[in-house]
Amino acid sequence: MTAAAPSALRPGRLGHPVPDDAPLGGRRRRRVAVVGVALSDCGRVDELTPYQLHAQAARRALADSGLPKDVIDGVASAGLGILAPVEVSEYLGLRPTWTDSTSVGGSTWEVMAGHAADAIAAGHANAVLLVYGSTARADLKARRRTAGIVLGARGPLQFEAPYGHTLIAKYAMAARRHMHEYGTTLEQLAGVAVQTRANAAANPDAMYRDPITVDDVLTGPMMADPFTKLHCCIRSDGGCAVLLAAEDYVPDTVHDPVWVLGSGEHLSHSAMSEWEDFTVSPTARSGRLAYERAGVTPDDIDLTELYDAFTYMPLVALEDLGFCAKGDGGAFVDAKAGRLLLDGELPTNTDGGGLSACHPGMRGLFLIVEAVRQLRHEYATSAPERQVPNAPQLALVSGTGGWFCSSGTLILGR
């Protein structure tokens, strides 16, 4: 999907021409583009702090955009400190007039991107930086923290935590319910890990690139039945940043814009006892809203970037997003079908995802970075083995937070 050609041009914010029907300020809604994306150092990063990863990613994203630092008037951040966007803005030398610190787990960044796009469209901000950094792996290795098997024992969680109901156990229960209801098999779940690893093989920045088989997944050490080790995301360090800006700035940027066409968000539950159906994720609601607002359907989508802390998450998301019928997710992700591969029917998690590439915590922002790079066709010349073929035009990005507690979905297009 491409934007209609403008009928006239006028000077933009930095002196270059922009469409005449793209007003400055808030007189009417402006189009919003992702104009800069970048990763910090990722994988095994023992020598940098989370703040340094934030700064490294932010500098690289700004350089990727080609815009000067002083255009940034909005900052969105979560996951660091008690006043995340305040502390991060101070560290980066920014004094924003718009901010967001929404924290809903892995879907945080898709939700924040939707909020930022709305603010920019309304003229409340002009350029918003979303930035994240974490040394989750390094901190664990250095014993500065312990593994987070639960997220707390207050509020609704007080009724679950005493019984050993860990984070991974919640996902495992949901997967088991899908297997019971629809006959989904362990081999089919393993297909998600196998195809994601195959995509990672083309990514030199992925932590794990060696091929794996369905048998490798099935015979690994058990983490939480039915999940063995390779059903679960890796633990890494890393950060990334995304810069969104009003269309007024697009003529001054380095790359062709990737437009935010639609977004949706949904909060489902906290206590597992309040989740009405373990086989339906909040993505079903956020995805429907994003499709409606973008004016597209699942048939229009060329690639997807989905949160994959565990193999069940992409499977159920693909159902809930309309790429296959409810209950058919197992057959859809079967490794023999190869639909999720870079050259498959629906390329998914094209960088290797959280299962193989990196997972430093709230991974949702990494999904946006990869989708933008694919839609820019960045790898077509430099690394064709990494590029989704046939010049993709539309991508769906969907993050999931908690234990299917929240979801944010974006539709991005050239």
Side-chain angles (χ1 to χ4, degrees):
M1 177 177 289
T2 57
S7 57
L9 299 174
R10 58 171 168 75
R13 291 276 186 177
L14 303 181
H16 293 127
V18 296
D20 192 44
D21 59 356
L24 301 179
R27 291 193 293 275
R28 56 191 175 88
R29 293 181 68 82
R30 303 178 292 184
R31 298 174 70 207
V32 180
V34 181
V35 297
V37 298
L39 304 182
S40 71
D41 293 349
C42 292
R44 300 172 180 86
V45 185
D46 295 310
E47 68 282 3
L48 299 179
T49 69
Y51 285 100
Q52 289 173 308
L53 293 178
H54 276 75
Q56 192 179 68
R59 284 195 301 268
R60 291 175 180 177
L62 196 61
D64 183 66
S65 75
L67 296 174
K69 178 181 175 180
D70 59 10
V71 306
I72 298 173
D73 58 358
V75 172
S77 187
L80 184 64
I82 59 172
L83 299 170
V86 181
E87 296 178 17
V88 168
S89 295
E90 181 179 76
Y91 191 83
L92 299 179
L94 298 170
R95 297 293 185 267
T97 55
W98 184 92
T99 189
D100 189 2
S101 61
T102 298
S103 184
V104 285
S107 63
T108 290
W109 306 102
E110 284 69 34
V111 172
M112 279 185 174
H115 294 175
D118 287 343
I120 294 169
H124 299 160
N126 292 307
V128 176
L129 178 71
L130 282 67
V131 61
Y132 177 66
S134 168
T135 51
R137 176 207 144 271
D139 290 348
L140 186 63
K141 294 295 182 183
R143 299 190 177 183
R144 291 188 288 266
R145 57 167 288 177
T146 58
I149 59 174
V150 295
L151 296 183
R154 289 183 164 185
L157 297 182
Q158 68 183 294
F159 303 108
E160 298 177 354
Y163 300 97
H165 202 192
T166 61
L167 177 66
I168 185 174
K170 298 172 192 285
Y171 282 101
M173 284 180 64
R176 272 294 180 197
R177 189 64 196 180
H178 199 281
M179 295 170 73
H180 172 76
E181 290 281 349
Y182 299 111
T184 306
T185 67
L186 288 172
E187 288 80 5
Q188 290 170 336
L189 282 167
V192 175
V194 170
Q195 292 172 86
T196 305
R197 178 63 64 87
N199 291 342
N203 178 8
D205 296 322
M207 282 188 72
Y208 297 94
R209 302 176 64 194
D210 293 338
I212 57 174
T213 66
V214 169
D215 284 343
D216 291 333
V217 180
L218 298 181
T219 57
M222 183 62 68
M223 299 289 106
D225 191 14
F227 295 145
T228 58
K229 183 177 180 179
L230 290 175
H231 281 287
C232 308
C233 66
I234 61 179
R235 187 185 293 269
S236 74
D237 308 310
C240 58
V242 169
L243 183 63
L244 293 90
E247 59 185 323
D248 312 75
Y249 292 98
V250 165
D252 304 291
T253 57
V254 173
H255 301 281
D256 290 338
V258 171
W259 302 102
V260 180
L261 303 179
S263 67
E265 59 193 73
H266 180 52
L267 304 183
S268 176
H269 61 277
S270 177
M272 292 288 281
S273 60
E274 297 302 308
W275 189 4
E276 295 177 354
D277 188 340
F278 285 12
T279 69
V280 178
S281 77
T283 304
R285 190 78 174 271
S286 68
R288 183 165 66 251
L289 291 170
Y291 285 137
E292 291 173 356
R293 292 163 182 171
V296 302
T297 71
D299 290 339
D300 298 316
I301 302 300
D302 297 311
L303 64 103
T304 67
E305 306 295 341
L306 307 175
Y307 211 95
D308 62 341
F310 305 98
T311 52
Y312 176 58
M313 297 173 74
L315 184 155
V316 73
L318 289 164
E319 291 181 344
D320 293 338
L321 290 165
F323 295 108
C324 61
K326 178 56 65 178
D328 290 345
F332 192 86
V333 303
D334 193 294
K336 295 176 183 177
R339 291 187 179 91
L340 311 186
L341 298 174
L342 278 162
D343 59 354
E345 178 183 321
L346 184 67
T348 297
N349 295 343
T350 51
D351 64 342
L355 291 169
S356 288
C358 69
H359 197 296
M362 296 187 296
R363 179 180 153 77
L365 197 56
F366 290 80
L367 309 181
I368 301 175
V369 172
E370 177 63 12
V372 169
R373 288 176 167 175
Q374 289 290 348
L375 290 178
R376 286 177 178 174
H377 311 155
E378 262 186 44
Y379 308 119
T381 302
S382 60
E385 68 280 3
R386 281 203 65 185
Q387 180 63 53
V388 171
N390 303 318
Q393 301 295 304
L394 282 177
L396 181 147
V397 178
S398 193
T400 303
W403 36 97
F404 293 106
C405 302
S406 65
S407 177
T409 302
L410 299 173
I411 308 293
L412 304 175
R414 283 178 61 85

